[in-house]
Amino acid sequence: MIIGIIGAMREEITPLLDIFKQYTTHQISNNIFYEITYKNSKIFIAYSKIGKVHSSITATTMILHFGCQKILFSGVAGGLNQNLKVGDLMLATKLCQHDVDITAFGHPLGFIPESSVYIHTDERLNTIAREVAKDQNIILKEGIIASGDQFIHNQDKKQWLIENFQADAVEMEGASVGMACHLFNIPFCIFRSISDSADGNADISFDEFLEKSAKTSANFVKHMVDAIL
Ligand code: ADE
């Protein structure tokens, strides 16, 4: 089995590298991929840099160059749903790109012709995630994630994301990783721990909780790897 684990920022993968400790590195397209041998399997870990373009390139590289057969995403998100508080861990059921807008041509927000508004995460991986959460006594919330190339930090935009996409959390990479995986037929799942509430204090909250929330997500992803292998 070859598993790919992607984070957006260095802080999101550092806890995983600290857990696995031994790795070799590969440099491709100005990005570092960490290769780990674990339980007779291979794990590739990388942070993509922020945003949908970077993360889709990293996912594609994981799949086409390193032969990853499953992709797990670990990182942080802004909470939109009041039930998602800073520090909570969530599993994405489906994701959309909130900054796609060709409504001028009569299409729904987030829709791209020959594609769809939402990309669904893999139900088998999600089932494993629910079992891991139960075994580890971890509360794993679930919801819809809206991804876009914007850091959301205002109440009006927050409401807009909830109203238009029924989104529970917002981040900047999940839907694009999902799209790459979907197009190459690779099962994927997305874990995010909440770092902020995407409101007027989001920037301060993000800086304060990035490391802690990234660790929460990464620890869970390590349990996922153990459950998969
Ligand atoms: N990632 C974490 N918090 C976020 C926010 N408020 N907007 C976009 N991406 C995020």
Side-chain angles (χ1 to χ4, degrees), residues 27 32 72 101 166 179 184 213 218:
Q27 186 148 11
I32 300 169
L72 315 181
D101 183 348
Q166 293 77 52
M179 183 58 74
F184 290 111
S213 294

Side-chain angles (χ1 to χ4, degrees), residues 99-165:
D99 52 0
V100 165
D101 183 348
I102 49 168
T103 54
F105 298 93
H107 294 297
L109 265 176
F111 179 77
I112 294 176
E114 299 183 48
S115 187
S116 58
V117 175
Y118 293 102
I119 296 288
H120 289 258
T121 48
D122 182 69
E123 205 35 58
R124 272 188 230 161
L125 286 174
N126 291 349
T127 300
I128 295 173
R130 292 177 194 116
E131 286 164 5
V132 166
K134 205 169 162 207
D135 287 351
Q136 299 293 326
N137 230 347
I138 292 169
I139 297 171
L140 180 63
K141 299 189 173 173
E142 297 188 21
I144 298 173
I145 286 184
S147 307
D149 289 326
Q150 299 160 3
F151 183 83
I152 305 302
H153 60 113
N154 94 48
Q155 196 60 37
D156 290 347
K157 186 75 192 216
K158 230 179 122 163
Q159 278 314 316
W160 185 88
L161 291 167
I162 295 168
E163 274 161 30
N164 287 287
F165 296 101

Side-chain angles (χ1 to χ4, degrees), residues 76-78 150-153 170-172 195-196 198 202 206:
V76 303
Q150 299 160 3
F151 183 83
I152 305 302
H153 60 113
V170 63
E171 37 85 309
M172 302 174 74
S195 56
D196 59 85
F206 180 88

Side-chain angles (χ1 to χ4, degrees), residues 19-200:
I19 290 169
F20 288 111
K21 288 190 177 70
Q22 286 193 325
Y23 46 76
T24 56
T25 59
H26 306 262
Q27 186 148 11
I28 299 174
S29 64
N30 197 28
N31 203 358
I32 300 169
F33 292 79
Y34 297 85
E35 177 178 343
I36 290 148
T37 304
Y38 184 66
K39 292 188 178 175
N40 283 326
S41 291
K42 290 272 178 217
I43 303 170
F44 289 91
I45 301 178
Y47 75 93
S48 58
K49 298 185 283 293
I50 290 167
K52 292 190 293 162
V53 172
H54 284 128
S55 57
S56 56
I57 291 171
T58 299
T60 303
T61 305
M62 289 270 193
I63 296 165
L64 294 186
H65 188 81
F66 294 111
C68 291
Q69 297 158 301
K70 295 185 194 307
I71 300 268
L72 315 181
F73 191 100
S74 182
V76 303
L80 303 174
N81 188 319
Q82 288 191 347
N83 291 327
L84 285 170
K85 306 279 187 225
V86 169
D88 285 357
L89 180 65
M90 77 171 290
L91 170 69
T93 51
K94 58 182 184 176
L95 304 99
C96 60
Q97 298 182 60
H98 68 73
D99 52 0
V100 165
D101 183 348
I102 49 168
T103 54
F105 298 93
H107 294 297
L109 265 176
F111 179 77
I112 294 176
E114 299 183 48
S115 187
S116 58
V117 175
Y118 293 102
I119 296 288
H120 289 258
T121 48
D122 182 69
E123 205 35 58
R124 272 188 230 161
L125 286 174
N126 291 349
T127 300
I128 295 173
R130 292 177 194 116
E131 286 164 5
V132 166
K134 205 169 162 207
D135 287 351
Q136 299 293 326
N137 230 347
I138 292 169
I139 297 171
L140 180 63
K141 299 189 173 173
E142 297 188 21
I144 298 173
I145 286 184
S147 307
D149 289 326
Q150 299 160 3
F151 183 83
I152 305 302
H153 60 113
N154 94 48
Q155 196 60 37
D156 290 347
K157 186 75 192 216
K158 230 179 122 163
Q159 278 314 316
W160 185 88
L161 291 167
I162 295 168
E163 274 161 30
N164 287 287
F165 296 101
Q166 293 77 52
D168 297 295
V170 63
E171 37 85 309
M172 302 174 74
E173 298 84 15
S176 43
V177 167
M179 183 58 74
C181 293
H182 170 71
L183 293 175
F184 290 111
N185 211 12
I186 296 297
F188 75 100
C189 59
I190 309 278
F191 298 98
R192 292 281 186 173
S193 177
I194 304 301
S195 56
D196 59 85
S197 298
D199 55 14

